[in-house]
Amino acid sequence: MLLQLVTALAALAGAACSLLAEGSGAGAVSGILPFTAGGFIYLGTVSVIPEILRNSGPGQALLQLLALLAGVAMMLLIARYE
């Protein structure tokens, strides 16, 4: 329960930081966006890939890994052309 509280407090601190950095322009966005995208990619790969490899056959695992890579590519395209 204590770790859940720490996680919630970190989420509140992140929300406060984003609200404070709202008016600072493109400099803040160029530093925050790669950090956030990297966090999503890390969470996706660390939590999803072992489960994919454990619970599915090679063909299904390949399709799911390609879908994960397609999601990463979409994040890259959105970040590049936004």
Side-chain angles (χ1 to χ4, degrees):
M1 191 181 314
L2 181 61
L3 291 175
Q4 185 68 25
L5 176 65
V6 170
T7 303
L9 290 175
L12 285 174
C17 287
S18 69
L19 289 174
L20 291 173
E22 181 180 355
S24 64
V29 172
S30 66
I32 294 171
L33 186 63
F35 180 75
T36 304
F40 280 119
I41 293 168
Y42 174 76
L43 288 175
T45 55
V46 167
S47 64
V48 172
I49 289 178
E51 187 173 333
I52 288 172
L53 296 175
R54 184 175 346 128
N55 294 332
S56 60
Q60 183 68 24
L62 179 63
L63 286 174
Q64 290 176 349
L65 288 175
L66 289 174
L68 180 68
L69 291 175
V72 170
M74 282 186 228
M75 285 194 301
L76 179 65
L77 288 172
I78 289 170
R80 179 139 172 97
Y81 295 110
E82 182 180 343

